[in-house]
Amino acid sequence: MMTEEQAKSLLLKQENVYTRDPQLREPAFAYCEGYKAFLNAAKTEREAVEWAVREAEANGFVPYDPTVSCKPGDRVYRVNRGKSVMLAVIGTDAPEAGFSIVVSHIDSPRLDLKQRPLYETAGISYFKTHYYGGIKKYQWTALPLALHGTVMTESGGRVDVRIGEAEGEPVFFISDLMPHIAKDQYEKKLGDAISGEGLNIINGSLPLGEGSDAVKLGILALLHEKYGITEADLRTAELSAVPAQKAVDVGFDASMIAAYGQDDRVCAYPSLTALFETKAPARTCVVVLADKEEIGSEGVTGLRSAALAHFLTSLCENRGADYKTCFAASDCLSADVGGAYDPCYAEAYEAGNSAYLNHGVAVMKYTGARGKSGSSDASAELLAKLARIFRENDVVWQTGEYGKVDQGGAGTVATEIAMLNISVVDTGVPILSMHSPVELAAKADIYMLHRALAAYFADR
């Protein structure tokens, strides 16, 4: 018969963070106040980069200059085209000892305006959109939306747009069909009930004069009056619609946060705060806030570009080190969200291998789909190193998968990091309602990720 002592030493017990240490409530809640402010300020990748640079400079970081020799303790950053940023704290060890790297992404599913977005029909002015990332299209109807982005005008100016966030500002809206006459819509499959071409944003209804485009002309007149924008400028603009809702506490106990874009800014924020706390690391510590993860990390600001490799290589060359040796000795935490177990949809999960809210950091050995397709599948050695760091620093953690094996799956930037010959494992915060306009995360897990990443950077 197994004794209580044997059970304690042999059996794995998943613990609730607050059960492990009830005193964590106060620091976790306090930490998440800053996180909510970050979410409200950074609803696009450009805004996240601007926020990160501002805070980095306040914490002693300076733009990286490869012609200036780096020394231990230096804090540098490089911005890639305004949409991604790489930061480093130079360690005392030579680069050949490897770097400690954390990568998060700062893009989220949204509705991008098409290049010729503005049109009028039935006395209503609309924007045509093209959705970005994996969404359930029906979730984006009947929802207050804000407009964010950048317009480069033909006159050579730049206009940064952020409408629908401030108190009293108008918002935008996508209509849905009333249930009274929705018989045909009800008979469609859930994924077909709302089409991509049906996600048209209402932006006004006041006509300017008479004619078939009087309302559209009224909207253009307002845009030109306030921003100096013409319809021709919209062809080259970068404008996106995102939920107008601010980050809010959830539950009588306020233990969770509901907000847009927590995938993956819920990991980006702890990545930054952990690096800001890092003062004199042994290994050089690097944080990357990447773009384009939601569409496969493509493009010049995604991790399939050479931007990260060039930055890491330059850090090696700056100190006279061989980058190939450095890369092979480095490891990386792909800090991305995991899918939390949702008992309301239990049929999609394998309960014994799922991550749970309030159970700490979720470590995912592999992501991918079905037969681990699209996964880098982390090694036992890297997982053991991470387990040791967490154990030594009292970090509550768990393992998790994206639902049942044949149910579907997901991918992260881990595969792009692995292509650089850098060992990598996915480590992040479990969330509910991933990729919906408003996602849910637990404060305990967010704070625990901060502690986990700080411990990873401090490891010697």
Side-chain angles (χ1 to χ4, degrees):
M1 184 175 181
M2 182 178 292
T3 65
E4 183 177 339
E5 184 174 329
Q6 285 177 314
K8 185 176 180 180
S9 63
L10 295 178
L11 294 175
L12 174 64
K13 182 182 178 182
Q14 295 285 86
E15 292 184 285
N16 183 292
V17 170
Y18 299 118
T19 303
R20 166 87 77 89
D21 185 357
Q23 302 304 314
L24 283 173
R25 180 190 181 281
E26 184 174 344
F29 278 44
Y31 176 82
C32 286
E33 289 304 302
Y35 168 60
K36 288 188 293 184
F38 165 70
L39 286 178
N40 293 335
K43 288 191 174 182
T44 68
E45 64 276 13
R46 285 186 185 271
E47 292 171 351
V49 167
E50 291 169 2
W51 188 96
V53 168
R54 184 171 61 252
E55 293 298 313
E57 290 180 344
N59 281 274
F61 286 76
V62 299
Y64 174 61
D65 183 350
T67 67
V68 176
S69 296
C70 291
K71 60 184 184 299
D74 282 353
R75 303 160 81 81
V76 298
Y77 71 86
R78 173 180 284 176
V79 175
N80 180 12
R81 296 167 173 86
K83 294 186 179 182
S84 66
V85 61
M86 298 158 281
L87 309 95
V89 177
I90 306 303
T92 55
D93 289 350
E96 286 88 351
F99 293 164
S100 296
I101 304 168
V102 173
V103 180
S104 302
H105 68 89
I106 48 177
D107 61 316
S108 297
R110 59 179 188 254
L111 302 180
D112 288 342
L113 268 57
K114 290 190 176 184
Q115 289 180 273
R116 296 184 60 186
L118 193 60
Y119 77 100
E120 174 187 341
T121 185
I124 302 174
S125 179
Y126 290 89
F127 285 133
K128 294 292 297 182
T129 71
H130 193 134
Y131 61 90
Y132 172 97
I135 67 171
K136 290 181 175 178
K137 295 185 283 293
Y138 69 87
Q139 293 181 329
W140 287 77
T141 64
L143 180 75
L145 299 171
L147 193 65
H148 292 235
T150 299
V151 181
M152 305 300 295
T153 66
E154 288 188 339
S155 60
R158 169 177 169 151
V159 180
D160 290 322
V161 175
R162 185 180 172 95
I163 307 171
E165 298 291 353
E167 189 71 27
E169 278 188 337
V171 296
F172 306 92
F173 190 81
I174 299 173
S175 63
D176 194 4
L177 187 61
M178 67 181 83
H180 311 68
I181 56 172
K183 175 181 177 296
D184 292 343
Q185 186 185 55
Y186 283 142
E187 292 177 354
K188 294 180 179 180
K189 292 182 179 179
L190 189 63
D192 298 329
I194 303 294
S195 69
E197 293 295 346
L199 293 173
N200 302 312
I201 299 173
I202 296 173
N203 59 54
S205 63
L206 282 178
L208 180 62
E210 300 179 359
S212 59
D213 282 335
V215 177
K216 174 181 174 180
L217 185 60
I219 298 302
L220 286 170
L222 290 171
L223 290 174
H224 190 263
E225 178 184 353
K226 186 169 183 178
Y227 301 105
I229 295 172
T230 68
E231 186 172 15
D233 294 328
L234 296 176
R235 292 181 300 179
T236 57
E238 189 176 83
L239 294 168
S240 303
V242 299
Q245 177 179 322
K246 297 190 184 309
V248 293
D249 291 342
V250 172
F252 287 116
D253 54 11
S255 61
M256 296 164 287
I257 295 172
Y260 165 70
Q262 297 202 78
D263 178 8
D264 182 39
R265 291 189 272 277
V266 74
C267 298
Y269 182 79
S271 300
L272 289 171
T273 58
L275 189 68
F276 293 163
E277 286 187 4
T278 302
K279 303 302 181 185
R283 300 211 302 179
T284 291
C285 298
V286 177
V287 161
V288 182
L289 302 186
D291 183 25
K292 297 292 188 288
E293 190 276 343
E294 296 295 359
I295 57 171
S297 295
E298 305 288 354
V300 72
T301 53
L303 280 183
R304 286 185 178 270
S305 81
L308 175 58
H310 288 171
F311 178 66
L312 297 178
T313 299
S314 183
L315 289 179
C316 292
E317 293 174 342
N318 185 282
R319 302 181 70 193
D322 174 57
Y323 78 90
K324 294 179 182 178
T325 303
C326 171
F327 286 17
S330 297
D331 44 55
C332 175
L333 304 187
S334 168
D336 204 344
V337 296
Y341 179 81
D342 190 336
C344 293
Y345 304 95
E347 65 279 3
Y349 297 85
E350 198 264 282
N353 281 284
S354 294
Y356 290 77
L357 293 185
N358 286 323
H359 282 64
V361 176
V363 177
M364 291 157 284
K365 185 179 188 296
Y366 43 82
T367 53
R370 297 175 177 86
K372 298 186 180 181
S373 175
S375 171
S376 69
D377 205 349
S379 69
E381 291 84 355
L382 180 56
L383 288 168
K385 173 182 176 176
L386 206 57
R388 174 188 59 77
I389 293 172
F390 292 169
R391 183 171 60 252
E392 292 174 353
N393 292 276
D394 199 27
V395 172
V396 182
W397 67 287
Q398 58 186 317
T399 56
E401 290 189 10
Y402 272 93
K404 289 182 177 178
V405 173
D406 289 331
Q407 192 66 30
T412 67
V413 298
T415 49
E416 280 66 46
I417 298 299
M419 289 171 64
L420 298 176
N421 193 29
I422 295 174
S423 297
V424 59
V425 60
D426 289 298
T427 308
V429 174
I431 65 174
L432 290 176
S433 296
M434 190 186 299
H435 280 215
S436 70
V438 178
E439 300 162 318
L440 191 72
K443 293 180 179 179
D445 301 329
I446 301 167
Y447 177 61
M448 199 54 63
L449 181 62
H450 165 80
R451 288 183 46 169
L453 299 182
Y456 171 65
F457 285 143
D459 186 58
R460 308 188 75 83

